[in-house]
Amino acid sequence: MNKCMERLFNGLVKENPTFVLMLGMCPTLAVTTSAMNGLGMGLTTTVVLIMSNLIISLLRKVIPDKVRIPAYIVIIASFVTLVELLLEGFIPTLYSALGIYIPLIVVNCIILGRAESYASKNSPVASAFDGIGMGLGFTVGLTSIGMVREILGVGQIFGIQILPSSYEGMTIFILAPGAFFVLAALTALQNKVRNSKGKPKAVGCSEGCGACQNTSCLGKEQTKEAK
Amino acid sequence: MKELIIIAIGAALVNNVVLSQFLGLCPFLGVSKKIDTAAGMGGAIIFVITLSSAITSLIYTFILEKTNLTYLRTIVFILVIAALVQFVEMFLKKSMPALYQSLGVFLPLITTNCAVLGVAITNVQKEYNILESVVNGFATAVGFTIAIVILAGLRERMEYNDVPESFQGMPIVLITSGLMAIAFFGFSGLI
């Protein structure tokens, strides 16, 4: 049981996918125009993450090592399709708000990353909890970015008016550039905290592409070597 | 013809794939330190996206629609794209070593680029025919190249600037991209 709680804590705080690992940046920026959309996207991803972690962990001894990545992708894509059809059927408003980003959950690096680094090596229960932890961490990240953008952009949170109605919304924050600015501010804040604690900066690929970590780091190394 | 030009301008400038749709952010932020590498990445992306939008749209029209299996599109597309990238890499290595030298290192990165799958799905959702899909794919990739080369140019200049400590690295790049996104809003009057 302890291990399960540890996985939850790990996903929510220690290795929060949005703020610490900086994984899955595309949906993070694209759908967080409001807190509600962020929450919807986060929960959708969580469902896919739990199910795929569970199944991959159950099949980890069956899948041959050489074809594991295609196998994982097929499993993930099946769940994404399933979730997409369910959303279309039961929550059509969310389905149309998230649009193309639902099928794109397939290429979200968090999911493949967890499959590769955790679910393929651990028991089904622990993997499912890892999925819950990571998914909730992602949801918290998306919802908070969505909240910041919504309150600055229109003065509301979850559609409820927070700031006085005389507040003139800064529309830029719910448009594309706002996403970049909010994320920049949040990352700078995080750097500030890290610097003041005197910890060394994260090693490896900290500089840019935390997203799509392994492959991109690999690519950078290769680019360096090629020069 | 007019339709095609509108699709091309829309995809390359107005709805720029990175700056307004946030697809393909990882290479955009990750490989934009130098202009040459950025241009190389752009070239590889143009090549792969044009090819993959042709192939996925062929598969969609002639196989999935004919057999009423359109709900399988996500699974089919991602596998086709992954296989295609592998295949292109092998093909280039064997028959065009010079091109492989310049694009080679970027090819493995492209599978994880959500822009490729994104374009394939957009083509389906907007019900483009095969020619329109290819034009849309090509123009989207050109838009990506424009954006990444501009960002790389800016970053080369920024290297010598005095950036506040907390904003060094990622945050300043994000702010630059945000400003670029505002600039790209100017194109929305074009269509």
Side-chain angles (χ1 to χ4, degrees):
Chain A
M1 199 60 225
N2 262 341
K3 200 173 179 192
C4 301
M5 293 318 287
E6 187 263 322
R7 287 330 294 168
L8 285 183
F9 178 75
N10 183 56
L12 273 170
V13 184
K14 220 167 84 197
E15 288 187 8
N16 187 300
T18 310
F19 295 120
V20 182
L21 298 182
M22 294 200 79
L23 284 175
M25 281 293 112
C26 307
T28 307
L29 293 178
V31 300
T32 49
T33 48
S34 70
M36 202 59 216
N37 284 354
L39 186 66
M41 185 68 193
L43 291 180
T44 315
T45 312
T46 309
V47 172
V48 176
L49 196 52
I50 298 171
M51 296 309 291
S52 67
N53 260 4
L54 185 66
I55 299 293
I56 286 169
S57 169
L58 283 172
L59 293 177
R60 69 187 189 279
K61 289 183 184 125
V62 186
I63 299 174
D65 208 36
K66 274 191 179 159
V67 292
R68 66 182 196 285
I69 301 286
Y72 296 164
I73 290 181
V74 172
I75 294 172
I76 296 168
S78 320
F79 282 115
V80 170
T81 311
L82 212 68
V83 168
E84 189 185 355
L85 293 174
L86 286 174
L87 277 184
E88 192 176 4
F90 293 103
I91 325 178
T93 44
L94 188 64
Y95 177 78
S96 52
L98 298 181
I100 190 180
Y101 298 98
I102 302 177
L104 286 180
I105 295 176
V106 181
V107 279
N108 192 326
C109 343
I110 299 174
I111 299 179
L112 197 59
R114 291 326 284 175
E116 173 77 8
S117 67
Y118 197 85
S120 60
K121 299 181 191 96
N122 289 283
S123 72
V125 178
S127 303
F129 271 92
D130 183 68
I132 299 176
M134 278 288 156
L136 289 183
F138 187 59
T139 312
V140 169
L142 287 195
T143 315
S144 47
I145 294 180
M147 267 160 49
V148 173
R149 287 180 68 185
E150 200 180 353
I151 202 165
L152 290 173
V154 286
Q156 301 174 336
I157 288 181
F158 287 111
I160 301 160
Q161 194 74 32
I162 299 287
L163 298 176
S165 52
S166 58
Y167 173 74
E168 193 94 22
M170 292 181 272
T171 322
I172 193 88
F173 278 98
I174 51 173
L175 297 175
F180 286 113
F181 294 143
V182 171
L183 190 68
L186 287 175
T187 325
L189 203 67
Q190 194 190 321
N191 282 351
K192 179 89 190 157
V193 172
R194 198 180 286 150
N195 287 346
S196 66
K197 272 186 189 165
K199 273 188 197 166
K201 281 192 179 169
V203 279
C205 217
S206 61
E207 185 279 319
C209 188
C212 310
Q213 266 186 332
N214 304 325
T215 32
S216 301
C217 282
L218 193 72
K220 274 190 189 167
E221 291 305 315
Q222 285 173 340
T223 337
K224 269 183 213 153
E225 277 166 25
K227 290 216 153 178
Chain B
M1 195 60 210
K2 203 176 143 201
E3 293 276 294
L4 293 182
I5 293 175
I6 290 181
I7 290 179
I9 293 179
L13 298 176
V14 182
N15 289 316
N16 188 286
V17 65
V18 229
L19 295 174
S20 84
Q21 297 189 58
F22 304 107
L23 301 179
L25 266 181
C26 318
F28 180 69
L29 301 174
V31 227
S32 57
K33 270 202 141 173
K34 289 225 159 58
I35 293 186
D36 339 341
T37 42
M41 186 72 191
I45 294 255
I46 293 181
F47 192 72
V48 170
I49 290 192
T50 315
L51 206 59
S52 78
S53 45
I55 290 177
T56 47
S57 121
L58 279 172
I59 289 180
Y60 190 79
T61 349
F62 291 113
I63 299 178
L64 294 183
E65 268 189 341
K66 289 279 186 307
T67 48
N68 278 329
L69 289 173
T70 47
Y71 60 88
L72 284 181
R73 58 164 201 244
T74 318
I75 304 181
V76 172
F77 285 1
I78 185 79
L79 287 178
V80 167
I81 289 168
L84 180 76
V85 174
Q86 288 285 322
F87 182 74
V88 166
E89 199 185 346
M90 285 192 286
F91 177 75
L92 286 184
K93 204 172 185 177
K94 202 81 186 158
S95 59
M96 297 182 219
L99 191 62
Y100 179 77
Q101 279 297 320
S102 53
L103 299 187
V105 290
F106 303 108
L107 284 172
L109 300 186
I110 292 180
T111 327
T112 52
N113 185 338
C114 36
V116 186
L117 183 62
V119 172
I121 294 173
T122 320
N123 287 339
V124 169
Q125 279 184 348
K126 292 197 176 163
E127 292 173 356
Y128 287 155
N129 63 30
I130 295 163
L131 184 62
E132 285 167 339
S133 304
V134 175
V135 171
N136 184 38
F138 177 74
T140 308
V142 169
F144 178 86
T145 311
I146 295 174
I148 196 173
V149 169
I150 295 179
L151 181 69
L154 290 171
R155 280 181 77 172
E156 278 190 1
R157 288 291 177 107
M158 248 158 32
E159 203 126 295
Y160 306 104
N161 285 3
D162 190 15
V163 178
E165 203 194 336
S166 307
F167 275 87
Q168 276 166 13
M170 209 67 261
I172 193 71
V173 178
L174 286 169
I175 288 184
T176 316
S177 329
L179 293 175
M180 277 170 68
I182 296 183
F184 268 69
F185 271 152
F187 288 118
S188 53
L190 274 180
I191 293 189

